[in-house]
PDB file of all heavy atoms in Angstrom:
ATOM      1  N   PRO A 656     110.002 107.396  86.807  1.00 94.00           N
ATOM      2  CA  PRO A 656     110.436 108.299  87.885  1.00 94.00           C
ATOM      3  C   PRO A 656     112.038 108.394  88.024  1.00 94.00           C
ATOM      4  O   PRO A 656     112.654 107.435  87.652  1.00 94.00           O
ATOM      5  CB  PRO A 656     109.796 107.521  89.133  1.00 94.00           C
ATOM      6  CG  PRO A 656     109.886 106.135  88.662  1.00 94.00           C
ATOM      7  CD  PRO A 656     109.746 106.031  87.301  1.00 94.00           C
ATOM      8  N   TYR A 657     112.401 109.459  88.587  1.00 95.00           N
ATOM      9  CA  TYR A 657     113.801 109.726  88.895  1.00 95.00           C
ATOM     10  C   TYR A 657     113.839 110.326  90.343  1.00 95.00           C
ATOM     11  O   TYR A 657     112.977 111.080  90.629  1.00 95.00           O
ATOM     12  CB  TYR A 657     114.453 110.648  87.945  1.00 95.00           C
ATOM     13  CG  TYR A 657     114.274 110.339  86.467  1.00 95.00           C
ATOM     14  CD1 TYR A 657     113.137 110.759  85.741  1.00 95.00           C
ATOM     15  CD2 TYR A 657     115.286 109.645  85.748  1.00 95.00           C
ATOM     16  CE1 TYR A 657     112.912 110.354  84.437  1.00 95.00           C
ATOM     17  CE2 TYR A 657     115.124 109.357  84.416  1.00 95.00           C
ATOM     18  CZ  TYR A 657     113.924 109.686  83.823  1.00 95.00           C
ATOM     19  OH  TYR A 657     113.783 109.342  82.403  1.00 95.00           O
ATOM     20  N   TYR A 658     114.841 109.930  91.121  1.00 96.00           N
ATOM     21  CA  TYR A 658     114.906 110.336  92.476  1.00 96.00           C
ATOM     22  C   TYR A 658     116.270 110.849  92.805  1.00 96.00           C
ATOM     23  O   TYR A 658     117.288 110.347  92.387  1.00 96.00           O
ATOM     24  CB  TYR A 658     114.529 109.206  93.434  1.00 96.00           C
ATOM     25  CG  TYR A 658     113.109 108.702  93.234  1.00 96.00           C
ATOM     26  CD1 TYR A 658     112.820 107.541  92.549  1.00 96.00           C
ATOM     27  CD2 TYR A 658     112.114 109.297  93.806  1.00 96.00           C
ATOM     28  CE1 TYR A 658     111.579 107.084  92.397  1.00 96.00           C
ATOM     29  CE2 TYR A 658     110.775 108.947  93.767  1.00 96.00           C
ATOM     30  CZ  TYR A 658     110.521 107.815  93.029  1.00 96.00           C
ATOM     31  OH  TYR A 658     109.239 107.264  92.846  1.00 96.00           O
ATOM     32  N   GLY A 659     116.290 111.908  93.771  1.00 96.00           N
ATOM     33  CA  GLY A 659     117.468 112.287  94.280  1.00 96.00           C
ATOM     34  C   GLY A 659     117.949 111.289  95.265  1.00 96.00           C
ATOM     35  O   GLY A 659     117.225 110.514  95.873  1.00 96.00           O
ATOM     36  N   GLU A 660     119.287 111.275  95.451  1.00 96.00           N
ATOM     37  CA  GLU A 660     119.948 110.241  96.294  1.00 96.00           C
ATOM     38  C   GLU A 660     119.370 110.252  97.759  1.00 96.00           C
ATOM     39  O   GLU A 660     119.245 109.235  98.356  1.00 96.00           O
ATOM     40  CB  GLU A 660     121.429 110.356  96.271  1.00 96.00           C
ATOM     41  CG  GLU A 660     122.011 109.927  95.031  1.00 96.00           C
ATOM     42  CD  GLU A 660     121.853 108.424  94.752  1.00 96.00           C
ATOM     43  OE1 GLU A 660     121.887 107.679  95.690  1.00 96.00           O
ATOM     44  OE2 GLU A 660     121.716 108.127  93.524  1.00 96.00           O
ATOM     45  N   SER A 661     119.117 111.470  98.262  1.00 96.00           N
ATOM     46  CA  SER A 661     118.699 111.589  99.719  1.00 96.00           C
ATOM     47  C   SER A 661     117.279 111.051  99.958  1.00 96.00           C
ATOM     48  O   SER A 661     116.949 110.842 101.116  1.00 96.00           O
ATOM     49  CB  SER A 661     118.850 113.031 100.049  1.00 96.00           C
ATOM     50  OG  SER A 661     118.003 113.800  99.367  1.00 96.00           O
ATOM     51  N   VAL A 662     116.533 110.829  98.884  1.00 97.00           N
ATOM     52  CA  VAL A 662     115.123 110.354  99.197  1.00 97.00           C
ATOM     53  C   VAL A 662     114.804 108.977  98.611  1.00 97.00           C
ATOM     54  O   VAL A 662     113.641 108.524  98.800  1.00 97.00           O
ATOM     55  CB  VAL A 662     114.139 111.352  98.621  1.00 97.00           C
ATOM     56  CG1 VAL A 662     114.399 112.814  99.250  1.00 97.00           C
ATOM     57  CG2 VAL A 662     114.093 111.411  97.055  1.00 97.00           C
ATOM     58  N   LYS A 663     115.809 108.402  97.934  1.00 97.00           N
ATOM     59  CA  LYS A 663     115.520 107.107  97.429  1.00 97.00           C
ATOM     60  C   LYS A 663     115.070 106.065  98.350  1.00 97.00           C
ATOM     61  O   LYS A 663     115.721 105.988  99.489  1.00 97.00           O
ATOM     62  CB  LYS A 663     116.844 106.549  96.660  1.00 97.00           C
ATOM     63  CG  LYS A 663     116.967 107.167  95.256  1.00 97.00           C
ATOM     64  CD  LYS A 663     118.176 106.593  94.546  1.00 97.00           C
ATOM     65  CE  LYS A 663     118.374 107.150  93.178  1.00 97.00           C
ATOM     66  NZ  LYS A 663     119.560 106.675  92.517  1.00 97.00           N
ATOM     67  N   GLY A 664     114.101 105.344  98.124  1.00 97.00           N
ATOM     68  CA  GLY A 664     113.602 104.324  99.035  1.00 97.00           C
ATOM     69  C   GLY A 664     112.572 104.865 100.055  1.00 97.00           C
ATOM     70  O   GLY A 664     112.027 104.041 100.821  1.00 97.00           O
ATOM     71  N   ARG A 665     112.458 106.157 100.116  1.00 98.00           N
ATOM     72  CA  ARG A 665     111.572 106.818 101.115  1.00 98.00           C
ATOM     73  C   ARG A 665     110.406 107.588 100.409  1.00 98.00           C
ATOM     74  O   ARG A 665     109.277 107.599 100.890  1.00 98.00           O
ATOM     75  CB  ARG A 665     112.321 107.742 102.092  1.00 98.00           C
ATOM     76  CG  ARG A 665     113.377 107.122 102.856  1.00 98.00           C
ATOM     77  CD  ARG A 665     113.972 108.042 103.899  1.00 98.00           C
ATOM     78  NE  ARG A 665     114.593 109.195 103.331  1.00 98.00           N
ATOM     79  CZ  ARG A 665     114.238 110.450 103.561  1.00 98.00           C
ATOM     80  NH1 ARG A 665     113.286 110.711 104.422  1.00 98.00           N
ATOM     81  NH2 ARG A 665     114.881 111.435 102.984  1.00 98.00           N
ATOM     82  N   PHE A 666     110.658 108.179  99.330  1.00 98.00           N
ATOM     83  CA  PHE A 666     109.771 109.033  98.601  1.00 98.00           C
ATOM     84  C   PHE A 666     109.253 108.311  97.313  1.00 98.00           C
ATOM     85  O   PHE A 666     110.082 107.643  96.684  1.00 98.00           O
ATOM     86  CB  PHE A 666     110.340 110.405  98.206  1.00 98.00           C
ATOM     87  CG  PHE A 666     110.587 111.263  99.380  1.00 98.00           C
ATOM     88  CD1 PHE A 666     110.442 110.860 100.682  1.00 98.00           C
ATOM     89  CD2 PHE A 666     110.823 112.637  99.188  1.00 98.00           C
ATOM     90  CE1 PHE A 666     110.671 111.729 101.821  1.00 98.00           C
ATOM     91  CE2 PHE A 666     111.063 113.500 100.225  1.00 98.00           C
ATOM     92  CZ  PHE A 666     111.016 113.035 101.560  1.00 98.00           C
ATOM     93  N   THR A 667     108.009 108.472  96.937  1.00 98.00           N
ATOM     94  CA  THR A 667     107.567 107.995  95.676  1.00 98.00           C
ATOM     95  C   THR A 667     106.794 109.009  94.921  1.00 98.00           C
ATOM     96  O   THR A 667     105.914 109.752  95.479  1.00 98.00           O
ATOM     97  CB  THR A 667     106.545 106.759  95.981  1.00 98.00           C
ATOM     98  OG1 THR A 667     107.332 105.746  96.675  1.00 98.00           O
ATOM     99  CG2 THR A 667     106.115 106.187  94.613  1.00 98.00           C
ATOM    100  N   ILE A 668     107.216 109.293  93.687  1.00 97.00           N
ATOM    101  CA  ILE A 668     106.460 110.237  92.823  1.00 97.00           C
ATOM    102  C   ILE A 668     105.561 109.453  91.960  1.00 97.00           C
ATOM    103  O   ILE A 668     105.877 108.322  91.407  1.00 97.00           O
ATOM    104  CB  ILE A 668     107.525 111.103  92.060  1.00 97.00           C
ATOM    105  CG1 ILE A 668     106.712 112.202  91.350  1.00 97.00           C
ATOM    106  CG2 ILE A 668     108.251 110.282  91.030  1.00 97.00           C
ATOM    107  CD1 ILE A 668     107.629 113.204  90.725  1.00 97.00           C
ATOM    108  N   SER A 669     104.328 109.998  91.644  1.00 96.00           N
ATOM    109  CA  SER A 669     103.410 109.409  90.751  1.00 96.00           C
ATOM    110  C   SER A 669     102.579 110.449  90.077  1.00 96.00           C
ATOM    111  O   SER A 669     102.675 111.657  90.444  1.00 96.00           O
ATOM    112  CB  SER A 669     102.464 108.402  91.434  1.00 96.00           C
ATOM    113  OG  SER A 669     101.698 109.049  92.470  1.00 96.00           O
ATOM    114  N   ARG A 670     101.975 110.169  89.011  1.00 94.00           N
ATOM    115  CA  ARG A 670     101.136 111.153  88.329  1.00 94.00           C
ATOM    116  C   ARG A 670      99.794 110.464  87.786  1.00 94.00           C
ATOM    117  O   ARG A 670      99.649 109.340  87.608  1.00 94.00           O
ATOM    118  CB  ARG A 670     101.844 111.795  87.238  1.00 94.00           C
ATOM    119  CG  ARG A 670     102.210 110.724  86.095  1.00 94.00           C
ATOM    120  CD  ARG A 670     101.557 110.966  84.854  1.00 94.00           C
ATOM    121  NE  ARG A 670     101.869 110.164  83.828  1.00 94.00           N
ATOM    122  CZ  ARG A 670     101.283 109.031  83.393  1.00 94.00           C
ATOM    123  NH1 ARG A 670     100.291 108.566  84.176  1.00 94.00           N
ATOM    124  NH2 ARG A 670     101.679 108.370  82.323  1.00 94.00           N
ATOM    125  N   ASP A 671      98.764 111.394  87.786  1.00 93.00           N
ATOM    126  CA  ASP A 671      97.419 110.982  87.251  1.00 93.00           C
ATOM    127  C   ASP A 671      97.259 111.942  85.999  1.00 93.00           C
ATOM    128  O   ASP A 671      96.978 113.086  86.110  1.00 93.00           O
ATOM    129  CB  ASP A 671      96.393 111.226  88.276  1.00 93.00           C
ATOM    130  CG  ASP A 671      95.048 110.871  87.818  1.00 93.00           C
ATOM    131  OD1 ASP A 671      94.762 110.797  86.610  1.00 93.00           O
ATOM    132  OD2 ASP A 671      94.198 110.428  88.694  1.00 93.00           O
ATOM    133  N   GLY A 672      97.423 111.339  84.824  1.00 89.00           N
ATOM    134  CA  GLY A 672      97.339 112.080  83.605  1.00 89.00           C
ATOM    135  C   GLY A 672      95.929 112.673  83.352  1.00 89.00           C
ATOM    136  O   GLY A 672      95.782 113.772  82.862  1.00 89.00           O
ATOM    137  N   ALA A 673      94.869 111.993  83.839  1.00 90.00           N
ATOM    138  CA  ALA A 673      93.542 112.417  83.587  1.00 90.00           C
ATOM    139  C   ALA A 673      93.256 113.661  84.420  1.00 90.00           C
ATOM    140  O   ALA A 673      92.454 114.512  84.046  1.00 90.00           O
ATOM    141  CB  ALA A 673      92.564 111.258  83.924  1.00 90.00           C
ATOM    142  N   LYS A 674      93.960 113.841  85.556  1.00 92.00           N
ATOM    143  CA  LYS A 674      93.712 114.989  86.448  1.00 92.00           C
ATOM    144  C   LYS A 674      94.869 116.007  86.310  1.00 92.00           C
ATOM    145  O   LYS A 674      94.798 117.003  87.016  1.00 92.00           O
ATOM    146  CB  LYS A 674      93.552 114.463  87.947  1.00 92.00           C
ATOM    147  CG  LYS A 674      92.426 113.542  88.158  1.00 92.00           C
ATOM    148  CD  LYS A 674      92.427 113.122  89.637  1.00 92.00           C
ATOM    149  CE  LYS A 674      91.200 112.241  89.969  1.00 92.00           C
ATOM    150  NZ  LYS A 674      91.161 111.849  91.405  1.00 92.00           N
ATOM    151  N   ASN A 675      95.769 115.715  85.487  1.00 91.00           N
ATOM    152  CA  ASN A 675      96.965 116.654  85.378  1.00 91.00           C
ATOM    153  C   ASN A 675      97.532 116.925  86.765  1.00 91.00           C
ATOM    154  O   ASN A 675      97.841 118.005  87.129  1.00 91.00           O
ATOM    155  CB  ASN A 675      96.599 117.986  84.748  1.00 91.00           C
ATOM    156  CG  ASN A 675      96.378 117.782  83.214  1.00 91.00           C
ATOM    157  OD1 ASN A 675      96.814 116.834  82.579  1.00 91.00           O
ATOM    158  ND2 ASN A 675      95.625 118.787  82.597  1.00 91.00           N
ATOM    159  N   THR A 676      97.751 115.911  87.549  1.00 94.00           N
ATOM    160  CA  THR A 676      98.189 116.011  88.960  1.00 94.00           C
ATOM    161  C   THR A 676      99.407 115.050  89.177  1.00 94.00           C
ATOM    162  O   THR A 676      99.463 113.906  88.698  1.00 94.00           O
ATOM    163  CB  THR A 676      97.065 115.694  89.892  1.00 94.00           C
ATOM    164  OG1 THR A 676      95.945 116.616  89.695  1.00 94.00           O
ATOM    165  CG2 THR A 676      97.481 115.785  91.340  1.00 94.00           C
ATOM    166  N   VAL A 677     100.334 115.596  89.927  1.00 96.00           N
ATOM    167  CA  VAL A 677     101.461 114.780  90.400  1.00 96.00           C
ATOM    168  C   VAL A 677     101.550 114.726  91.833  1.00 96.00           C
ATOM    169  O   VAL A 677     101.082 115.679  92.482  1.00 96.00           O
ATOM    170  CB  VAL A 677     102.770 115.312  89.618  1.00 96.00           C
ATOM    171  CG1 VAL A 677     103.025 116.757  90.307  1.00 96.00           C
ATOM    172  CG2 VAL A 677     103.930 114.515  89.957  1.00 96.00           C
ATOM    173  N   TYR A 678     101.938 113.564  92.341  1.00 98.00           N
ATOM    174  CA  TYR A 678     101.936 113.482  93.775  1.00 98.00           C
ATOM    175  C   TYR A 678     103.309 113.083  94.263  1.00 98.00           C
ATOM    176  O   TYR A 678     104.137 112.545  93.551  1.00 98.00           O
ATOM    177  CB  TYR A 678     101.041 112.210  94.128  1.00 98.00           C
ATOM    178  CG  TYR A 678      99.572 112.319  93.622  1.00 98.00           C
ATOM    179  CD1 TYR A 678      99.166 111.789  92.501  1.00 98.00           C
ATOM    180  CD2 TYR A 678      98.722 113.144  94.377  1.00 98.00           C
ATOM    181  CE1 TYR A 678      97.923 111.902  91.952  1.00 98.00           C
ATOM    182  CE2 TYR A 678      97.400 113.250  93.892  1.00 98.00           C
ATOM    183  CZ  TYR A 678      97.036 112.711  92.669  1.00 98.00           C
ATOM    184  OH  TYR A 678      95.711 112.749  92.240  1.00 98.00           O
ATOM    185  N   LEU A 679     103.612 113.361  95.522  1.00 98.00           N
ATOM    186  CA  LEU A 679     104.855 112.913  96.142  1.00 98.00           C
ATOM    187  C   LEU A 679     104.468 112.300  97.561  1.00 98.00           C
ATOM    188  O   LEU A 679     104.066 113.069  98.436  1.00 98.00           O
ATOM    189  CB  LEU A 679     105.732 114.112  96.348  1.00 98.00           C
ATOM    190  CG  LEU A 679     107.172 113.733  96.911  1.00 98.00           C
ATOM    191  CD1 LEU A 679     107.923 112.846  95.846  1.00 98.00           C
ATOM    192  CD2 LEU A 679     107.997 115.017  97.237  1.00 98.00           C
ATOM    193  N   GLN A 680     104.557 111.044  97.559  1.00 98.00           N
ATOM    194  CA  GLN A 680     104.415 110.322  98.801  1.00 98.00           C
ATOM    195  C   GLN A 680     105.682 110.302  99.579  1.00 98.00           C
ATOM    196  O   GLN A 680     106.660 109.719  99.068  1.00 98.00           O
ATOM    197  CB  GLN A 680     103.877 108.908  98.583  1.00 98.00           C
ATOM    198  CG  GLN A 680     103.676 108.088  99.829  1.00 98.00           C
ATOM    199  CD  GLN A 680     102.521 108.657 100.737  1.00 98.00           C
ATOM    200  OE1 GLN A 680     101.507 109.022 100.294  1.00 98.00           O
ATOM    201  NE2 GLN A 680     102.834 108.652 102.002  1.00 98.00           N
ATOM    202  N   MET A 681     105.655 110.849 100.797  1.00 98.00           N
ATOM    203  CA  MET A 681     106.965 110.991 101.575  1.00 98.00           C
ATOM    204  C   MET A 681     106.772 110.138 102.837  1.00 98.00           C
ATOM    205  O   MET A 681     105.932 110.447 103.673  1.00 98.00           O
ATOM    206  CB  MET A 681     107.192 112.449 101.934  1.00 98.00           C
ATOM    207  CG  MET A 681     107.310 113.351 100.717  1.00 98.00           C
ATOM    208  SD  MET A 681     107.699 114.962 101.113  1.00 98.00           S
ATOM    209  CE  MET A 681     106.347 115.542 102.087  1.00 98.00           C
ATOM    210  N   ASN A 682     107.527 109.068 102.988  1.00 98.00           N
ATOM    211  CA  ASN A 682     107.589 108.220 104.130  1.00 98.00           C
ATOM    212  C   ASN A 682     108.942 108.319 104.867  1.00 98.00           C
ATOM    213  O   ASN A 682     109.832 108.813 104.323  1.00 98.00           O
ATOM    214  CB  ASN A 682     107.310 106.721 103.674  1.00 98.00           C
ATOM    215  CG  ASN A 682     105.972 106.570 103.042  1.00 98.00           C
ATOM    216  OD1 ASN A 682     105.002 107.282 103.332  1.00 98.00           O
ATOM    217  ND2 ASN A 682     105.927 105.628 102.059  1.00 98.00           N
ATOM    218  N   SER A 683     108.894 107.796 106.109  1.00 98.00           N
ATOM    219  CA  SER A 683     110.118 107.865 106.965  1.00 98.00           C
ATOM    220  C   SER A 683     110.745 109.228 106.889  1.00 98.00           C
ATOM    221  O   SER A 683     112.019 109.345 106.719  1.00 98.00           O
ATOM    222  CB  SER A 683     111.063 106.747 106.362  1.00 98.00           C
ATOM    223  OG  SER A 683     110.450 105.504 106.449  1.00 98.00           O
ATOM    224  N   LEU A 684     109.975 110.231 107.138  1.00 98.00           N
ATOM    225  CA  LEU A 684     110.545 111.571 107.015  1.00 98.00           C
ATOM    226  C   LEU A 684     111.505 111.860 108.255  1.00 98.00           C
ATOM    227  O   LEU A 684     111.426 111.326 109.290  1.00 98.00           O
ATOM    228  CB  LEU A 684     109.326 112.565 107.151  1.00 98.00           C
ATOM    229  CG  LEU A 684     108.557 112.726 105.923  1.00 98.00           C
ATOM    230  CD1 LEU A 684     107.197 113.338 106.092  1.00 98.00           C
ATOM    231  CD2 LEU A 684     109.349 113.541 104.858  1.00 98.00           C
ATOM    232  N   ARG A 685     112.456 112.715 107.812  1.00 98.00           N
ATOM    233  CA  ARG A 685     113.545 113.067 108.708  1.00 98.00           C
ATOM    234  C   ARG A 685     113.614 114.520 108.957  1.00 98.00           C
ATOM    235  O   ARG A 685     113.077 115.382 108.022  1.00 98.00           O
ATOM    236  CB  ARG A 685     114.923 112.639 108.060  1.00 98.00           C
ATOM    237  CG  ARG A 685     114.945 111.071 107.814  1.00 98.00           C
ATOM    238  CD  ARG A 685     116.182 110.804 106.845  1.00 98.00           C
ATOM    239  NE  ARG A 685     116.264 109.403 106.596  1.00 98.00           N
ATOM    240  CZ  ARG A 685     117.114 108.934 105.598  1.00 98.00           C
ATOM    241  NH1 ARG A 685     117.898 109.834 104.943  1.00 98.00           N
ATOM    242  NH2 ARG A 685     117.155 107.660 105.340  1.00 98.00           N
ATOM    243  N   PRO A 686     114.136 114.994 109.955  1.00 97.00           N
ATOM    244  CA  PRO A 686     114.276 116.506 110.164  1.00 97.00           C
ATOM    245  C   PRO A 686     114.959 117.280 109.008  1.00 97.00           C
ATOM    246  O   PRO A 686     114.537 118.314 108.736  1.00 97.00           O
ATOM    247  CB  PRO A 686     115.089 116.601 111.428  1.00 97.00           C
ATOM    248  CG  PRO A 686     114.705 115.385 112.240  1.00 97.00           C
ATOM    249  CD  PRO A 686     114.549 114.284 111.214  1.00 97.00           C
ATOM    250  N   GLU A 687     115.873 116.519 108.392  1.00 97.00           N
ATOM    251  CA  GLU A 687     116.590 117.119 107.251  1.00 97.00           C
ATOM    252  C   GLU A 687     115.768 117.304 105.989  1.00 97.00           C
ATOM    253  O   GLU A 687     116.122 117.873 104.989  1.00 97.00           O
ATOM    254  CB  GLU A 687     117.903 116.415 106.938  1.00 97.00           C
ATOM    255  CG  GLU A 687     117.713 114.938 106.723  1.00 97.00           C
ATOM    256  CD  GLU A 687     118.018 114.068 107.886  1.00 97.00           C
ATOM    257  OE1 GLU A 687     117.616 114.564 109.080  1.00 97.00           O
ATOM    258  OE2 GLU A 687     118.620 112.967 107.769  1.00 97.00           O
ATOM    259  N   ASP A 688     114.545 116.677 105.982  1.00 98.00           N
ATOM    260  CA  ASP A 688     113.621 116.819 104.885  1.00 98.00           C
ATOM    261  C   ASP A 688     112.760 118.134 105.012  1.00 98.00           C
ATOM    262  O   ASP A 688     112.030 118.503 104.177  1.00 98.00           O
ATOM    263  CB  ASP A 688     112.617 115.701 104.813  1.00 98.00           C
ATOM    264  CG  ASP A 688     113.261 114.334 104.586  1.00 98.00           C
ATOM    265  OD1 ASP A 688     114.150 114.334 103.699  1.00 98.00           O
ATOM    266  OD2 ASP A 688     112.880 113.339 105.129  1.00 98.00           O
ATOM    267  N   THR A 689     112.949 118.789 106.154  1.00 98.00           N
ATOM    268  CA  THR A 689     112.237 120.164 106.291  1.00 98.00           C
ATOM    269  C   THR A 689     112.679 121.115 105.292  1.00 98.00           C
ATOM    270  O   THR A 689     113.853 121.372 105.058  1.00 98.00           O
ATOM    271  CB  THR A 689     112.544 120.683 107.750  1.00 98.00           C
ATOM    272  OG1 THR A 689     112.029 119.840 108.708  1.00 98.00           O
ATOM    273  CG2 THR A 689     112.017 122.087 107.867  1.00 98.00           C
ATOM    274  N   ALA A 690     111.696 121.622 104.541  1.00 98.00           N
ATOM    275  CA  ALA A 690     112.000 122.558 103.457  1.00 98.00           C
ATOM    276  C   ALA A 690     110.671 123.054 102.868  1.00 98.00           C
ATOM    277  O   ALA A 690     109.573 122.623 103.166  1.00 98.00           O
ATOM    278  CB  ALA A 690     112.749 121.869 102.365  1.00 98.00           C
TER     279      ALA A 690
END
C-alpha cells in the first residue's frame, strides 16, 4: 500500500484478488475528507 500524507494512520487500503475488489477503510473521518 501507499498513502497520501493527509490520510496516513487513518485510512487503510486492501484488496481481494479473488473478487477483483479493492477496499478503503476510512476511520477518524474529518470534515476535510468530504469529497
Side-chain angles (χ1 to χ4, degrees):
Y657 307 85
Y658 296 98
E660 286 297 325
S661 62
V662 305
K663 280 183 179 178
R665 300 188 298 125
F666 291 10
T667 302
I668 189 170
S669 61
R670 62 107 172 99
D671 184 331
K674 297 181 178 179
N675 287 340
T676 299
V677 65
Y678 305 96
L679 184 68
Q680 178 66 44
M681 305 186 293
N682 298 329
S683 301
L684 283 161
R685 304 167 180 169
E687 54 263 39
D688 295 317
T689 295

